[in-house]
């Protein structure tokens, strides 16, 4: 945090162990010997006019994630490192920016233009980069320079626990070089294996992969622009061109994209991500661009182009095998394609859950026998289900209530007769025809062994309305019997 010339020193404070302590300082505060974890009262005693701002961890997290999104322009492998750091795996990416030194210089200079004073390092291991950037001068460290560079750094640069650092310092092992000269066996017996593990990770002798914060795209293509663009037509036109460059890669793998993501990098560092899914594997550039045309109509108000977008990237987040079948003479293939296009466009504009269909489940309890799924996911598995059609359930109502609703009923023919009349939703219905009962036992592995059985009836009232009702509990066996409305028949 860089100080303002006309302002007093600025510090951030947070509550730790029931005391307000300093969590961050600007350069002016560091110059007057304030330090982190110092009490706010002690800091005010040293310098009365310091400006104390209460920390906001949630806002700090959002800010760090925003910087991580911005770093996606260099590599898709970006991981968060605690509260104030990032790990970037630039393997295979440095040559795109003129080498490692040019890449690091570009990152630091761009962040400085945004208003952030940061330090960074590029090394053969994450541990060495962490140590050099936080306790050293940063820069690019060659593999044969690792031991020479890390030796003069304090042992705290090995990412050890505070109590371990304190114990090492008390024994006179203040620098990493001291650990390198100490026999490993006594060191492990005295301080545990974590010291040796961190030391080996920093020297690159032990592998330490980073965990990217976002899933890595299976395929990706991008355009870096000399002049930023902001018009929706320009964005869609460029997205179509990028999709054209992706098509050969999809064809070479024999796959089609199921989930696409358009990433827009604004010149001021903000990143917008727009995702669009498809019901069937897709590789046609024109249809891919049409998906994002629908999505842009939806997010139009939230997409602030500002001074324009300088990088556009198209990611394939999920793909499946592309089935190139020949259309038949009856046109079934064209009908399926038209339905797929309709579902894709509507889902892209209104969301994946706007169109839903039902799939059968292995359950005889009516409210569990079907599962509502989005149409875009259901169509993807339609071909696999066509060879084994589901059993007919014509006796079930066309409309099933989400939850059975209790009602008052009066039955004359007991124990197995339908009610003569019932009262539901403030209306009384007189039954003129009925059919049943159909007895269903509940699933004891879910509802328990004492769950009451149900007797279902199909009834018709004097107005011609047909209902599906059931009685919970049996006469002569259960203490109470209750009636429920479960659905309406055609």
């Amino acid at each position: 945090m860089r100080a303002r010339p006309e302002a007093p020193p600025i510090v951030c404070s947070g509550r730790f162990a029931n005391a307000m302590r300093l969590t961050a300082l600007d350069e002016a505060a560091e110059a007057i010997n304030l330090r982190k974890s110092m009490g706010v009262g002690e800091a005010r005693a040293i310098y009365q006019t310091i400006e104390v701002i209460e920390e906001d961890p949630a806002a700090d997290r959002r800010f760090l994630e925003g910087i991580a999104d911005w770093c996606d322009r260099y590599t898709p492998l970006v991981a968060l490192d605690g509260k104030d750091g990032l790990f970037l795996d630039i393997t295979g990416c440095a040559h795109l920016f003129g080498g490692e030194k040019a890449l690091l210089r570009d990152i630091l200079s761009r962040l400085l233009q945004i208003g952030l004073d940061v330090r960074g390092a590029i090394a053969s291991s994450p541990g060495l980069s962490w140590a050099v950037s936080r306790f050293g001068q940063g820069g690019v460290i060659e593999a044969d320079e690792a031991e020479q560079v890390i030796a003069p750094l304090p042992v705290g640069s090995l990412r050890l626990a505070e109590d371990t650092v304190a114990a090492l310092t008390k024994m006179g092992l203040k620098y990493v070089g001291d650990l390198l000269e100490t026999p490993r066996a006594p060191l492990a017996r005295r301080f545990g294996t974590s010291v040796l593990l961190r030391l080996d990770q920093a020297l690159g002798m032990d592998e330490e992969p980073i965990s990217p914060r976002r899933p890595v795209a299976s395929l990706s293509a991008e355009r870096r622009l000399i002049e930023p663009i902001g018009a929706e037509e320009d964005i869609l036109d460029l997205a179509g061109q990028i999709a054209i460059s992706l098509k050969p890669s999809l064809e070479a793998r024999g796959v089609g994209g199921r989930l696409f993501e358009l990433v827009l990098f604004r010149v001021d560092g903000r990143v917008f991500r727009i995702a669009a899914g498809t019901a069937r594997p897709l590789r046609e550039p024109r249809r891919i661009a049409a998906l994002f045309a629908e999505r842009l109509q939806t997010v139009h108000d939230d997409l602030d182009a500002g001074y324009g977008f300088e990088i556009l990237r198209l990611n394939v987040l999920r793909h499946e095998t592309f089935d190139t079948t020949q259309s038949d003479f009856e046109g079934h293939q064209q009908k399926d394609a038209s339905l797929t296009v309709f579902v894709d466009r509507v889902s892209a504009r209104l969301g994946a859950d706007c169109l839903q269909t039902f799939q059968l489940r292995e359950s005889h309890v009516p409210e569990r026998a079907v599962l509502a799924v989005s149409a875009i996911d259901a169509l993807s598995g339609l071909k696999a289900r066509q060879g084994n059609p589901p059993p007919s359930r014509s006796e079930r109502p066309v409309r099933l209530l989400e939850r059975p609703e209790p009602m008052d009923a009066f039955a004359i023919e007991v124990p197995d007769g339908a009610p003569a009349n019932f009262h539901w939703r403030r209306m009384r219905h007189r039954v003129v025809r009925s059919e049943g009962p159909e007895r269903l036992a509940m699933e004891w592995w879910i509802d328990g062994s004492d769950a009451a059985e149900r007797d279902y009836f199909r009834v018709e009232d004097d107005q011609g309305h047909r209902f599906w009702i059931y009685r919970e509990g049996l006469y002569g066996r259960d203490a109470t019997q209750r009636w429920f409305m479960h659905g309406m028949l055609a």
Side-chain angles (χ1 to χ4, degrees):
M1 188 162 42
R2 180 169 291 182
R4 297 170 293 171
E6 72 282 358
I10 302 175
V11 298
C12 293
S13 67
R15 182 171 296 278
F16 294 92
N18 295 325
M20 296 300 294
R21 299 187 178 276
L22 304 186
T23 59
L25 303 86
D26 66 359
E27 294 175 349
E30 292 177 347
I32 60 176
N33 295 325
L34 299 183
R35 64 184 185 277
K36 289 184 180 181
S37 74
M38 177 184 288
V40 174
E42 183 182 355
R44 289 193 184 277
I46 297 175
Y47 197 94
Q48 295 183 356
T49 59
I50 60 172
E51 183 177 350
V52 181
I53 302 173
E54 187 174 354
E55 69 172 356
D56 187 348
D60 293 342
R61 181 77 173 189
R62 291 193 299 270
F63 183 67
L64 184 62
E65 289 178 347
I67 300 175
D69 283 337
W70 178 86
C71 288
D72 278 354
R73 67 181 59 214
Y74 298 102
T75 172
L77 302 175
V78 181
L80 300 180
D81 174 38
K83 300 181 189 177
D84 56 357
L86 296 173
F87 279 128
L88 277 68
D89 188 345
I90 59 170
T91 305
C93 303
H95 71 280
L96 301 175
F97 302 90
E100 293 178 346
K101 293 183 178 179
L103 186 150
L104 181 60
R105 185 168 55 249
D106 185 69
I107 293 177
L108 299 182
S109 61
R110 284 175 177 267
L111 289 175
L112 183 62
Q113 293 174 4
I114 295 176
L116 301 175
D117 187 10
V118 299
R119 281 186 295 179
I122 296 178
S124 57
S125 66
L128 183 57
S129 299
W130 192 94
V132 175
S133 61
R134 293 177 182 269
F135 293 86
Q137 300 300 319
V140 179
I141 312 301
E142 301 297 337
D144 56 353
E145 300 175 346
E147 188 171 328
Q148 176 185 352
V149 170
I150 201 172
L153 300 182
V155 292
S157 64
L158 294 179
R159 298 175 292 169
L160 297 171
E162 293 183 3
D163 55 346
T164 303
V165 173
L168 289 170
T169 305
K170 188 175 180 180
M171 292 294 298
L173 304 174
K174 299 180 179 180
Y175 301 98
V176 178
D178 300 333
L179 298 179
L180 294 174
E181 298 172 357
T182 304
R184 295 173 67 92
L187 198 63
R189 285 197 300 268
R190 183 66 182 269
F191 302 102
T193 59
S194 61
V195 176
L196 299 181
L197 174 63
R198 288 303 192 185
L199 185 60
D200 291 343
Q201 288 177 342
L203 296 175
M205 300 170 59
D206 199 318
E207 189 70 21
E208 183 187 4
I210 68 172
S211 300
R213 55 188 292 266
R214 292 185 178 276
V216 180
S218 56
L219 286 172
S220 180
E222 68 177 36
R223 291 290 186 275
R224 295 176 180 265
L225 308 175
I226 299 177
E227 292 291 335
I229 62 174
E232 184 177 316
E233 301 80 25
D234 296 335
I235 295 174
L236 291 176
D237 181 65
L238 192 55
Q241 296 179 30
I242 300 175
I244 292 175
S245 65
L246 269 180
K247 187 175 181 180
S249 299
L250 292 170
E251 291 176 341
R253 298 189 181 192
V255 299
R258 283 288 317 280
L259 180 61
F260 297 90
E261 181 185 51
L262 182 64
V263 188
L264 308 174
F265 294 84
R266 207 166 65 179
V267 293
D268 63 350
R270 188 173 178 186
V271 180
F272 295 87
R273 298 177 182 273
I274 305 172
T278 66
R280 300 284 180 86
L282 182 63
R283 60 170 69 148
E284 177 59 38
R286 181 175 54 83
R287 286 189 55 192
I288 296 174
L291 288 177
F292 288 107
E294 300 293 342
R295 292 293 295 132
L296 287 177
Q297 290 293 330
T298 304
V299 303
H300 182 271
D301 295 336
D302 298 328
L303 187 64
D304 182 10
Y307 291 104
F309 302 105
E310 59 180 348
I311 302 176
L312 271 72
R313 179 182 298 160
L314 183 60
N315 295 328
V316 181
L317 299 182
R318 190 169 75 245
H319 61 77
E320 291 179 2
T321 302
F322 192 86
D323 187 9
T324 55
T325 57
Q326 182 177 357
S327 301
D328 55 27
F329 290 106
E330 296 182 358
H332 294 302
Q333 192 75 14
Q334 289 85 343
K335 293 179 182 178
D336 293 343
S338 300
L339 177 60
T340 302
V341 172
F342 170 76
V343 172
D344 289 347
R345 294 187 61 181
V346 174
S347 300
R349 173 168 293 201
L350 302 179
D353 295 329
C354 67
L355 296 176
Q356 291 189 333
T357 184
F358 297 95
Q359 290 182 354
L360 291 178
R361 299 176 63 189
E362 294 293 335
S363 177
H364 64 272
V365 179
E367 59 265 30
R368 300 173 187 159
V370 293
L371 176 68
V373 298
S374 62
I376 198 169
D377 291 331
L379 281 178
S380 63
L382 181 61
K383 186 173 181 180
R385 296 191 302 271
Q386 283 178 348
N388 185 20
S392 175
R393 304 298 293 271
S394 58
E395 71 276 8
R396 295 296 184 246
V398 294
R399 180 190 174 190
L400 195 70
L401 297 178
E402 184 176 358
R403 294 183 181 86
E405 298 181 4
M407 65 181 191
D408 297 327
F410 175 72
I412 299 177
E413 299 179 3
V414 293
D416 297 328
N421 56 72
F422 60 89
H423 188 266
W424 175 63
R425 289 186 178 180
R426 299 182 181 182
M427 293 186 64
R428 182 158 304 274
H429 302 266
R430 188 170 65 87
V431 177
V432 295
R433 294 181 182 86
S434 65
E435 185 179 358
E438 176 189 358
R439 182 160 297 173
L440 295 180
M442 301 303 291
E443 298 170 334
W444 58 266
W445 56 93
I446 298 177
D447 305 291
S449 57
D450 57 345
E453 297 177 345
R454 297 177 180 179
D455 277 353
Y456 277 89
F457 297 88
R458 289 179 291 276
V459 300
E460 181 180 339
D461 66 5
D462 53 359
Q463 301 296 322
H465 301 140
R466 303 181 68 224
F467 304 96
W468 203 44
I469 64 176
Y470 72 86
R471 181 185 63 242
E472 184 181 78
L474 305 179
Y475 288 104
R477 195 187 71 177
D478 299 309
T480 59
Q481 295 81 37
R482 297 186 301 168
W483 289 90
F484 291 86
M485 174 67 66
H486 206 165
M488 281 66 75
L489 296 135

